[in-house]
Amino acid sequence: MNRLVGMLHINYPIIQGGMGNISHALLTAAVSEAGGLGTFGAGTFSPEHIEDEIKKIKALTNRPFAVNIPIRVQPNVDAVIETVLRHNVPVVSLSAGNPKPFIQKLKEKGITIMVVVASVNQACKAELAGADIIVAEGYEAAGINSIHETTTLTLIPQIVDAVSIPVVAAGGIGDGRGIAAAICLGAQGVQMGTRFIATKEAVVHDSYKKKILDSTDIDTVVVGRGVGKVRRLLKTAYAEKLISLEKSGLSLEEFEKKTDESHHILGAIEGKLDLGHINGGQIAGVISDIPSVEELLTSMVSEYQNVIGRLQYKKESYK
Ligand SMILES: Cc1cc2nc3c(=O)[nH]c(=O)nc-3n(C[C@H](O)[C@H](O)[C@H](O)COP(=O)(O)O)c2cc1C
């Protein structure tokens, strides 16, 4: 058993990352029930909605789960923090902002804190502020990425060398080979988003899931660079529209409006791929089925074990 699995009280070192606007108790609970760590993404949801979903998760599973709070995105951070404290949520993941003001308050209640970072500097600051676990997310990932665009392959070993707390690799992981690669780089587990969208329990429009299955290795695009943002989307009519708007000089304010929660919901939940965007990572190209979460975790772990077995065999054969 590695340190991460022990700290989170889970069976497999597989975390479903928080997914703002599309999070739902069903997926969170399914991942935790299957032995991973499910996360409910607070996104821009109201504290009341988050409270209802936490209650639903608890009714569906007794296993640990997390709530992700994207600090700069969530308009009522303090109220959401109070909600997770009131409901004894076992794990909180903090992203998209400075986690320092919130960490001690959460830790005093025994909550395990994961901080999502995209650079060595952010990882060191999070460790110093009291984070228990670092989630290091590379530029392959779906959704909002760092302007530094560091890839998972290069980010993980550098963060592992810089901190002494467990590191989870995120961005570009979709199967057992990805877990093995992350472990080889020094991570203790993985966090996935795109792969979990293409599962039976994900509450998104079927056209989103189908778009992931249809994607090849070159079917994601990054929008927002022109206004200092990096957001990875699946290539759709709406994503192409955003790119052409950027070319004609879209302002930051207009970009934020065109990629806000209402456009995300139009794309991801309502399936209107010409009117709203859908987040997707570069790993979409390897995803070709829609299993249940339990089937996915079981197959990923067995594939991971096969890969590790092959590595050991190779080592022996060099003797
Ligand atoms: C639809 C969607 C919404 C996301 N929203 C959030 C969010 O609100 N907060 C966050 O920290 N990460 C968010 N992410 C990132 C995931 O938690 C995860 O770290 C990422 O998807 C991992 O990369 P992958 O897509 O290559 O697996 C989102 C990802 C997706 C697909």
Side-chain angles (χ1 to χ4, degrees), residues 17-20 22 43 68 70 95 116 137 140-143 170-173 191-195 197 208 264 279-283:
M19 295 191 264
I22 65 139
N68 167 254
S95 60
V116 184
E137 191 187 67
E140 297 91 326
I173 293 146
Q191 170 168 300
M192 306 186 298
T194 305
R195 176 64 267 199
I197 299 279
Y208 189 179
H264 192 192
N279 293 338
Q282 289 180 322
I283 200 64

Side-chain angles (χ1 to χ4, degrees), residues 62-82:
N62 291 322
R63 309 207 47 134
F65 65 95
V67 170
N68 167 254
I69 309 175
I71 295 162
R72 278 194 314 270
V73 175
Q74 165 57 237
N76 297 300
V77 174
D78 290 327
V80 176
I81 297 272
E82 291 308 322

Side-chain angles (χ1 to χ4, degrees), residues 2-319:
N2 73 20
R3 224 168 120 204
L4 178 84
V5 164
M7 283 168 82
L8 295 174
H9 305 288
I10 53 179
N11 298 347
Y12 308 129
I14 302 175
I15 298 169
Q16 169 246 325
M19 295 191 264
N21 308 138
I22 65 139
S23 270
H24 195 287
L26 265 185
L27 179 62
T28 309
V31 176
S32 290
E33 197 58 21
L37 185 78
T39 303
F40 181 80
T44 56
F45 286 139
S46 70
E48 295 73 27
H49 180 80
I50 295 164
E51 181 160 37
D52 285 349
E53 291 293 305
I54 290 172
K55 286 182 190 161
K56 283 186 206 159
I57 295 164
K58 287 188 163 185
L60 290 166
T61 183
N62 291 322
R63 309 207 47 134
F65 65 95
V67 170
N68 167 254
I69 309 175
I71 295 162
R72 278 194 314 270
V73 175
Q74 165 57 237
N76 297 300
V77 174
D78 290 327
V80 176
I81 297 272
E82 291 308 322
T83 306
V84 298
L85 288 170
R86 201 163 51 249
H87 287 277
N88 297 316
V89 170
V91 183
V92 166
S93 129
L94 298 167
S95 60
N98 177 14
K100 197 175 170 189
F102 311 103
I103 291 181
Q104 285 316 324
K105 189 171 186 183
L106 293 163
K107 282 190 77 165
E108 276 163 22
K109 293 279 179 183
I111 295 176
T112 302
I113 308 294
M114 306 197 296
V115 176
V116 184
V117 306
S119 73
V120 170
N121 186 33
Q122 288 173 343
C124 293
K125 282 188 181 162
E127 181 178 38
L128 215 61
D132 299 301
I133 294 161
I134 297 291
V135 178
E137 191 187 67
Y139 156 78
E140 297 91 326
I144 297 170
N145 284 334
S146 155
I147 51 163
H148 302 298
E149 303 189 4
T150 312
T151 60
T152 305
L153 191 69
T154 54
L155 187 63
I156 302 308
Q158 295 184 71
I159 291 186
V160 165
D161 287 348
V163 299
S164 55
I165 52 179
V167 175
V168 172
I173 293 146
D175 57 25
R177 294 172 297 181
I179 307 180
I183 302 281
C184 286
L185 293 172
Q188 298 205 3
V190 299
Q191 170 168 300
M192 306 186 298
T194 305
R195 176 64 267 199
F196 279 115
I197 299 279
T199 59
K200 289 201 170 87
E201 290 89 342
V203 184
V204 298
H205 199 276
D206 280 349
S207 62
Y208 189 179
K209 298 185 186 185
K210 183 173 182 312
K211 194 76 193 164
I212 291 177
L213 301 195
D214 291 346
S215 289
T216 70
D217 54 335
I218 55 168
D219 283 329
T220 70
V221 290
V222 167
V223 296
R225 277 203 190 94
V227 291
K229 299 276 166 183
V230 179
R231 183 167 203 146
R232 189 175 294 283
L233 306 178
L234 291 179
K235 208 184 272 176
T236 59
Y238 191 71
E240 308 271 14
K241 186 175 157 191
L242 285 173
I243 290 170
S244 72
L245 284 171
E246 267 186 272
K247 282 187 186 143
S248 59
L250 193 73
S251 69
L252 174 60
E253 201 189 355
E254 285 163 336
F255 175 79
E256 301 278 26
K257 261 192 215 151
K258 298 237 174 271
T259 53
D260 67 3
E261 64 199 61
S262 65
H263 289 91
H264 192 192
I265 289 166
L266 272 173
I269 305 292
E270 296 184 24
K272 295 175 180 153
L273 303 189
D274 52 339
L275 299 177
H277 57 285
I278 46 174
N279 293 338
Q282 289 180 322
I283 200 64
V286 306
I287 299 171
S288 59
D289 59 353
I290 303 181
S292 70
V293 164
E294 193 185 355
E295 286 162 353
L296 174 66
L297 264 53
T298 308
S299 73
M300 284 185 72
V301 169
S302 109
E303 190 179 14
Y304 161 72
Q305 280 162 344
N306 284 339
V307 173
I308 293 297
R310 284 207 304 272
L311 291 177
Q312 281 163 357
Y313 171 75
K314 284 269 184 227
K315 191 178 157 209
E316 293 300 309
S317 65
Y318 287 143
K319 277 186 186 164

